[in-house]
Amino acid sequence: MMAKKLSETEAKSILGVAGDNTYNGQIRADEFLPDLRGGKAVKKYREMRDNDSTIGAVMYSVEQILRDVNLDVKPANDSPEAKIEADFVKSVLHDMDHSLDDHIAEALSFLSYGFAWFEVVYKRRVGPSERSDKKRSKYSDGRIGVRKIASRAPWTINKFDVDRTTGDVLGIEQSVGNFSSKNYIPVNKSLYYRTTSINGDPSGRSILRNAYTSYEYLNNLQSIEAIAVERELAGIPVARIPAEYLSGDASAAQSGFVNNLQSILRDVKFNEQGYIILPSDTYPDKDGSPTNIRLVDIELMSSNGSRNIDIDPIVRRYQHDIARSVLSEFLLLGSQGGSYALSKSKTDLFLRALESYIQAIVDVLNKQLIERLWELNGLNYDLMPTIVAGDVAPHDLREIASFLRNLNGAGIDVSSHPEVISDLMAIAELDYNPEVSTQVTGEQNGNA
């Protein structure tokens, strides 16, 4: 049977959905592990981020590096009108109740949880003398600006409002207080970051997802190691008491003594508060005379020699697995050595990942913040500027110098391109004015 011809109406219709997550709006609804689905996922990723030293070091390094990236506003073109609108965007970013760096640091939480949601609170820029927060601004042009970009924590988000036909995210339902009241925040009043849109999942995918198994094993192993170390230092308490105390015919007083002794042995700790009180009675000999053998005796039994399994290499392996899953294994290279070339290649890969992270943030700012400012103010879209991110890491000047020498050896002269010289000076963090340089060069040629 031949397939029927595709009609225009059917071609433009949406017939299916990407997955369960786009149908019911639940967080990670398609996740096959129950512990990483819904609100449990947010709690688990928060636990991993705040409790694990390796993950904490990775996320801290990401935050500190990306907070230092320069974000600039690029005019739409070289016209004076475009530069004026670019200055307007710069003024908006510097007229909020918080700094842009603070927002970038909070926005990076989307890496841990897979998504991050912010409510944009706008204001009318009337002037600095206004009492109302809805109008107070350092500027008095009467335009709509941004008062603040307020974080909405992932653990307060109950579900996403998703269009069941298109899969588009329309907003979120936020549970607050005792969870009896709910807030609805539409997407057109928000900044919505997510790591990926695979399968249309509104909650994205945490970069810690692949570290979950290693984290669980490492967490359990460290707990076992701590108990083993405590037992190794303190020893295992061993008590010796008369056999009649353990027999079925023991009196109530004897059974009570055994119970109390069990509690003492279970709770004994090797610290400054630890102690055990023993009776001073001893066994009598056959003639009824006292001996040196105590009725009750307790000792700490310690192990002899080393353990069959060395836990430390296993712990290091799981730590490397966690760091490797987020491209940060270079952070652990110093603990076991490693060549410079290996460290540099791993670091370069990590920095490339950071470039994609900051670019994802910039894309959201351009699409969801700048465009809505233009819509609210009724501005000309042809003059709308864009936010651009600077370099994540400083360039290696030695490599650049070697590259320039190779160009010069190939007969390529970059001195006639002032924009190239300007970029090179900016990389070297040196002040450079191409107009002054051109003027000086022209005077020298004239004198010649």
Side-chain angles (χ1 to χ4, degrees):
M1 181 179 178
M2 296 183 61
K4 67 177 183 178
K5 183 179 179 180
L6 181 65
S7 65
E8 181 180 349
T9 301
E10 188 179 14
K12 294 187 294 185
S13 300
I14 297 177
L15 304 179
V17 296
D20 289 339
N21 40 37
T22 61
Y23 186 77
N24 56 30
Q26 296 296 327
I27 298 175
R28 302 295 299 153
D30 280 344
E31 172 61 57
F32 64 90
L33 290 180
D35 288 342
L36 297 181
R37 192 182 305 145
K40 291 182 179 180
V42 174
K43 292 180 181 179
K44 177 56 68 173
Y45 291 134
R46 187 180 183 185
E47 174 192 323
M48 294 172 64
R49 175 186 173 125
D50 293 341
N51 272 5
D52 187 81
S53 59
T54 303
I55 295 175
V58 170
M59 303 312 297
Y60 179 76
S61 63
V62 169
E63 177 182 329
Q64 295 305 309
I65 292 174
L66 294 187
R67 286 191 70 162
D68 194 45
V69 174
N70 181 47
L71 297 184
D72 197 12
V73 180
K74 182 180 179 181
N77 50 57
D78 295 331
S79 67
E81 294 80 8
K83 293 180 180 179
I84 291 175
E85 299 301 355
D87 290 337
F88 164 64
V89 173
K90 291 179 182 179
S91 69
V92 168
L93 298 178
H94 290 88
D95 192 33
M96 299 187 293
D97 293 348
H98 54 82
S99 67
L100 183 60
D101 282 350
D102 290 338
H103 171 66
I104 297 299
E106 287 190 301
L108 289 171
S109 64
F110 84 105
L111 300 175
S112 299
Y113 303 109
F115 71 97
W117 196 281
F118 295 83
E119 180 182 355
V120 183
V121 183
Y122 297 94
K123 65 182 177 182
R124 176 73 67 178
R125 308 195 333 166
V126 176
S129 60
E130 288 292 324
R131 293 185 178 181
S132 174
D133 292 335
K134 297 179 180 180
K135 298 180 180 180
R136 187 170 55 251
S137 170
K138 291 184 289 186
Y139 307 91
S140 55
D141 53 16
R143 286 185 171 186
I144 297 293
V146 177
R147 176 182 163 191
K148 61 181 176 180
I149 305 174
S151 174
R152 300 295 174 247
W155 49 88
T156 67
I157 296 176
N158 186 37
K159 63 178 295 186
F160 291 90
D161 180 19
V162 180
D163 188 311
R164 292 190 175 186
T165 302
T166 64
D168 295 335
V169 178
L170 305 178
I172 58 167
E173 291 183 5
Q174 184 188 34
S175 300
V176 294
N178 58 2
F179 299 97
S180 60
S181 59
K182 300 185 185 305
N183 294 333
Y184 180 82
I185 306 175
V187 71
N188 57 12
K189 193 181 181 297
S190 308
L191 295 186
Y192 170 37
Y193 301 94
R194 59 175 168 174
T195 54
T196 179
S197 58
I198 295 178
N199 292 333
D201 193 342
S203 53
R205 188 178 190 272
S206 170
I207 67 171
L208 305 179
R209 175 60 182 86
N210 293 106
Y212 169 74
T213 302
S214 297
Y215 168 79
E216 287 294 301
Y217 282 122
L218 177 61
N219 198 34
N220 293 334
L221 192 62
Q222 287 175 328
S223 298
I224 295 172
E225 183 184 37
I227 295 173
V229 169
E230 180 182 0
R231 284 304 186 189
E232 192 72 21
L233 291 176
I236 299 175
V238 178
R240 297 179 179 86
I241 58 177
E244 61 184 291
Y245 282 59
L246 301 174
S247 69
D249 299 331
S251 65
Q254 291 173 335
S255 298
F257 176 81
V258 172
N259 292 334
N260 291 335
L261 185 60
Q262 288 176 340
S263 299
I264 292 173
L265 296 178
R266 183 180 64 248
D267 299 334
V268 65
K269 299 291 182 181
F270 190 70
N271 52 38
E272 60 186 23
Q273 298 296 328
Y275 62 89
I276 298 176
I277 298 177
L278 296 176
S280 58
D281 304 284
T282 60
Y283 276 109
D285 59 15
K286 62 182 180 179
D287 297 326
S289 301
T291 65
N292 293 327
I293 303 175
R294 300 187 185 95
L295 287 175
V296 178
D297 190 18
I298 293 179
E299 68 176 0
L300 296 177
M301 183 174 63
S302 60
S303 64
N304 297 322
S306 60
R307 295 292 182 185
N308 293 329
I309 299 177
D310 187 3
I311 296 180
D312 191 63
I314 306 176
V315 170
R316 287 200 301 267
R317 188 187 78 197
Y318 285 130
Q319 289 176 334
H320 276 270
D321 287 344
I322 292 173
R324 189 183 301 115
S325 69
V326 286
L327 304 178
S328 304
E329 195 178 10
F330 68 93
L331 293 174
L332 304 176
L333 288 178
S335 60
Q336 292 182 304
S339 65
Y340 170 78
L342 179 62
S343 173
K344 188 177 185 310
S345 62
K346 290 182 178 293
T347 303
D348 290 344
L349 186 61
F350 176 70
L351 293 176
R352 289 294 298 272
L354 295 191
E355 289 177 357
S356 68
Y357 297 157
I358 194 64
Q359 187 58 48
I361 292 178
V362 166
D363 290 342
V364 170
L365 291 174
N366 285 323
K367 185 67 179 177
Q368 301 179 20
L369 184 67
I370 305 304
E371 285 192 13
R372 286 171 192 154
L373 279 174
W374 249 243
E375 180 182 355
L376 289 171
N377 288 288
L379 302 177
N380 184 358
Y381 283 93
D382 293 335
L383 301 177
M384 186 175 67
T386 56
I387 298 176
V388 294
D391 296 324
V392 171
H395 295 273
D396 191 332
L397 296 181
R398 289 174 299 181
E399 292 183 356
I400 295 176
S402 176
F403 174 70
L404 291 175
R405 284 195 298 269
N406 292 337
L407 288 179
N408 187 51
I412 301 175
D413 185 12
V414 299
S415 61
S416 59
H417 300 276
E419 69 280 1
V420 176
I421 301 298
S422 180
D423 290 341
L424 291 173
M425 291 299 181
I427 290 173
E429 298 182 354
L430 297 175
D431 293 331
Y432 174 73
N433 190 333
E435 296 180 358
V436 174
S437 177
T438 303
Q439 182 179 1
V440 171
T441 303
E443 292 176 353
Q444 292 176 347
N445 292 336
N447 293 334

